Amino acid sequence: MTDITLTVLGCGSSSATPVIGCDCPTCCSTNPKNQRSRSSAHVQIGRQHWQIDTGTDFHQQAIRARLNRIDGVLYTHPHADHLNGIDDLRAFCYHQQSHIPVYGHAATLKNITSRFDYAFLPASPFWNRPVLQAHELPLNNGHQPVLTIEDVPIWQFGVPHGHWICSAFRIGNLAWFTDLNYLDDKTIEQLQGLDYLFLDCLMDTAYASHLSTEQAFDYARRIDARQTYFIHMTHTLSYESLLHRCPPRCAPAYDGLVVHSHYA
Ligand SMILES: [Zn+2]
Ligand SMILES: [Zn+2]
Ligand SMILES: [Zn+2]
């Protein structure tokens, strides 16, 4: 049996909360659960430490969660709020005196390796940049695990996110489904039996590349995880107001939330 611990490093949308220059009630709230950095998670699987995305806030998130090791990164897609903290993987390469493998589907890796080409060069003696190795994960819609980490299978789902295909991951009985606007019946079927589901829930208003609250509530009910947490929320959703109207066994996530699961 392998223990799995997921820490929500960030559950905010691309603008984060508070939004720069905004004085709405959520942005002015003193409840720390209303301060949301960009979407990201850290997952400890047995003795291994895996990172989902390295967004704009990755440095602060790593300090806050006292991260001291990263064995690999799973990238969902190359939007700035999920990728642009990539340079701060450098500290981990230096501490570990090693490259870090990064994983994603082919189009994601093509984008990352062209925009951050310097991060994929051989190590220099100064460790003055990240030293990463790209590994492609086949888009097989969750039919077979794409990785096995400490005996825990990782399934990848290519989910629509506007014109992009975003990778969503099931890690044992945890699932991280950020940045998507639709889930098909087959995927919902493959997500049965979850302990924890983390699901995109942008705002009340319908949006082309994300789930609205109504859509997120509907998918959460159909997937029926033991507990669902909503992520990638904008400042239009305050923690308190969303909590009060969530379906049973659903709640908004918050930065720093930690959940434990295990896989036998
Ligand atoms: Zn995003
Ligand atoms: Zn605001
Ligand atoms: Zn995105």
Side-chain angles (χ1 to χ4, degrees), residues 16-28 234-236:
T17 305
V19 172
I20 294 171
C22 184
D23 57 5
C24 79
T26 315
C27 289
C28 294
T234 74
H235 66 141
T236 61

Side-chain angles (χ1 to χ4, degrees), residues 50-186:
W50 283 68
Q51 182 64 30
I52 302 179
D53 290 335
T54 58
T56 326
D57 298 315
F58 179 55
H59 174 268
Q60 280 303 313
Q61 293 170 336
I63 299 294
R64 243 183 359 203
R66 298 177 179 274
L67 304 187
N68 56 21
R69 180 167 186 90
I70 290 179
D71 293 295
V73 182
L74 301 172
Y75 278 111
T76 60
H77 67 305
H79 279 161
D81 54 324
H82 299 261
L83 173 62
N84 282 18
I86 192 170
D87 281 1
D88 287 308
L89 288 172
R90 180 176 73 157
F92 297 94
C93 295
Y94 174 74
H95 287 309
Q96 295 160 210
Q97 293 285 297
S98 173
H99 75 273
I100 293 175
V102 304
Y103 295 80
H105 69 65
T108 296
L109 293 180
K110 190 168 173 235
N111 185 303
I112 297 175
T113 53
S114 64
R115 281 164 62 197
F116 299 96
D117 55 345
Y118 58 86
F120 295 87
L121 299 172
S124 86
F126 307 107
W127 296 95
N128 55 346
R129 44 185 169 71
V131 183
L132 310 177
Q133 274 180 9
H135 298 271
E136 184 185 335
L137 300 176
L139 277 174
N140 62 8
N141 284 321
H143 289 309
Q144 286 161 9
V146 288
L147 280 174
T148 302
I149 302 168
E150 302 252 326
D151 299 327
V152 175
I154 317 291
W155 293 271
Q156 176 188 231
F157 301 84
V159 292
H161 172 39
H163 298 299
W164 298 74
I165 296 292
C166 181
S167 292
F169 297 101
R170 177 174 182 157
I171 301 172
N173 291 325
L174 299 175
W176 185 263
F177 273 59
T178 191
D179 290 57
L180 62 101
N181 55 273
Y182 176 75
L183 289 175
D184 61 24
D185 292 345
K186 184 79 191 152

